Amino acid sequence: MFGWLYKRVTRYYVYIVSFFAANNHFSKNIYQGKLKGFFFPGLNCYACPLARHSCPLGSFQNFIGVKTFPLYVLGFMGLLGITLGRLVCGWICPFGFFQELLYRIKTFKIRVSQKYSYSKYVVLFFLAMLLPFLTTQPWFCKLCPAGGIEAGIPMVAMHSYLRSLIGALFYVKITIVIALISFSVLIKRPFCRFVCPLGAIYGIFNKFTFFKIKVDEKKCIECYTCQTVCPMDVEIFKNPDSVDCIRCGECIKACPTNALYYKYGID
Amino acid sequence: MNKRTLIYILGLILFLGFFIYGIGSEQKTEARQKGSVICLSCIGIG
């Protein structure tokens, strides 16, 4: 019954440990200490009462909103991107983990073509860059389902003065959360593949990172096992540098001919 | 050193420079300040 858990226990363990390493402020009020000056690598809302670090995407929008070039955030994301590619999504981001767990629920599944995955760059440009620049508001945060789950629901539940401020936007956000949970049961990591602007930024670096997945073409029999087990549904043997590869290594574990392997360094 | 290696190293130095600048500048303080107040947008009420 728990066979899938044994197979994934290492990566799931890293997800859980990294979540609690960064989210351990057990209080009704949000953390305001020095660690908030540093970013959590994944999508982890800084309005969450547990969070000790800032969300890089939230800060990115705030800097753009005040017309400041976000050197600090870009430096942070660029360093992670060059050294690790999109590994953060596959090993650390709690929201990706949440979606993977939901997809384990046994029901019919829907496959969505990978060609739509570039939609996250549209989200990145409009909601995380253009609208914040024009309106000074972090528009992606307003609609972010991770913020809805980690901050919206708990903060509104714990603070009566916030409940009195609830308006249409909150209900829109909760609708997005419900839709995302429903889609995550049916589709592999839908938010990460089609929406997440942070994943979009890290994904750019998959072509330029030191941390790569390589395919031994002599060994590959094109059996599609790698795509079947891939949490992002990537045809990894065709495009190991895909912007959607989260370097989780599930394909490497599952490959029947050991044609896939990690490589760290410059080609 | 080939061209690809040079691009990787320059990229790494560039982002490291951005990051170190950010740590030493007001951007880190600003990030901390923004993260230390309740973000109404994140909660969905502002």
Side-chain angles (χ1 to χ4, degrees):
Chain A
M1 183 183 174
F2 293 107
W4 61 270
L5 182 62
Y6 294 131
K7 282 183 191 168
R8 287 162 178 79
V9 73
T10 311
R11 192 160 64 90
Y12 282 14
Y13 177 76
V14 175
Y15 269 129
I16 293 165
V17 169
S18 57
F19 176 78
F20 283 107
N23 294 281
N24 50 30
H25 181 251
F26 296 96
S27 165
K28 273 178 79 173
N29 299 307
I30 64 168
Y31 173 74
Q32 297 180 316
K34 285 184 181 174
L35 289 174
K36 270 280 167 77
F38 297 92
F39 304 115
F40 181 78
L43 201 65
N44 192 51
C45 187
Y46 50 23
C48 171
L50 293 174
R52 287 197 185 267
H53 298 272
S54 284
C55 170
L57 198 60
S59 293
F60 179 74
Q61 292 169 85
N62 285 325
F63 282 121
I64 287 180
V66 294
K67 317 290 187 279
T68 302
F69 193 75
L71 283 175
Y72 181 37
V73 194
L74 282 180
F76 176 80
M77 292 192 285
L79 274 180
L80 277 175
I82 282 197
T83 52
L84 300 170
R86 217 180 147 177
L87 175 132
V88 163
C89 308
W91 290 81
I92 294 171
C93 181
F95 203 57
F97 178 46
F98 177 62
Q99 290 169 80
E100 269 194 48
L101 289 180
L102 287 171
Y103 192 74
R104 304 303 312 180
I105 295 171
K106 295 229 181 296
T107 178
F108 71 95
K109 303 293 176 188
I110 299 169
R111 286 191 75 180
V112 181
S113 171
Q114 207 60 19
K115 67 184 176 189
Y116 301 116
S117 72
Y118 287 97
S119 58
K120 56 184 169 288
Y121 290 95
V122 178
V123 176
L124 170 66
F125 178 72
F126 283 102
L127 288 182
M129 294 168 79
L130 186 64
L131 281 177
F133 183 79
L134 296 175
T135 66
T136 74
Q137 295 285 315
W139 274 94
F140 182 77
C141 292
K142 286 179 187 290
L143 304 172
C144 176
I149 293 171
E150 294 170 3
I153 294 169
M155 289 298 275
V156 163
M158 287 190 294
H159 299 279
S160 57
Y161 74 96
L162 290 175
R163 277 198 291 280
S164 66
L165 297 172
I166 285 177
L169 181 64
F170 184 78
Y171 296 110
V172 170
K173 196 158 179 134
I174 295 302
T175 307
I176 292 171
V177 168
I178 293 167
L180 179 94
I181 289 173
S182 311
F183 284 130
S184 298
V185 175
L186 306 175
I187 302 168
K188 287 179 175 179
R189 292 180 70 144
F191 181 82
C192 309
R193 288 166 68 197
F194 307 115
V195 184
C196 184
L198 189 59
I201 294 171
Y202 287 138
I204 295 169
F205 290 97
N206 267 0
K207 288 195 189 329
F208 310 103
T209 178
F210 294 115
F211 189 53
K212 291 198 178 269
I213 287 182
K214 291 285 177 189
V215 186
D216 186 337
E217 286 174 10
K218 287 176 190 159
K219 287 184 181 174
C220 180
I221 54 172
E222 300 190 11
C223 62
Y224 287 86
T225 304
C226 49
Q227 189 183 7
T228 307
V229 297
C230 177
M232 300 287 277
D233 211 27
V234 177
E235 288 179 320
I236 201 78
F237 67 97
K238 287 184 183 169
N239 185 11
D241 294 336
S242 162
V243 294
D244 284 322
C245 175
I246 54 173
R247 304 290 190 252
C248 64
E250 296 297 333
C251 53
I252 295 172
K253 274 197 264 179
C255 181
T257 59
N258 296 320
L260 299 166
Y261 57 95
Y262 281 131
K263 187 186 175 202
Y264 200 85
I266 303 168
D267 295 327
Chain B
M1 187 186 290
N2 65 28
K3 199 174 166 187
R4 198 174 171 88
T5 309
L6 188 68
I7 291 169
Y8 271 74
I9 291 172
L10 283 177
L12 197 63
I13 291 169
L14 180 75
F15 286 116
L16 189 64
F18 283 0
F19 185 66
I20 291 170
Y21 169 82
I23 292 264
S25 75
E26 285 181 7
Q27 291 205 0
K28 183 178 158 250
T29 316
E30 266 184 61
R32 183 186 167 187
Q33 283 170 349
K34 284 279 182 188
S36 299
V37 292
I38 294 177
C39 168
L40 294 180
S41 296
C42 304
I43 295 169
I45 53 178

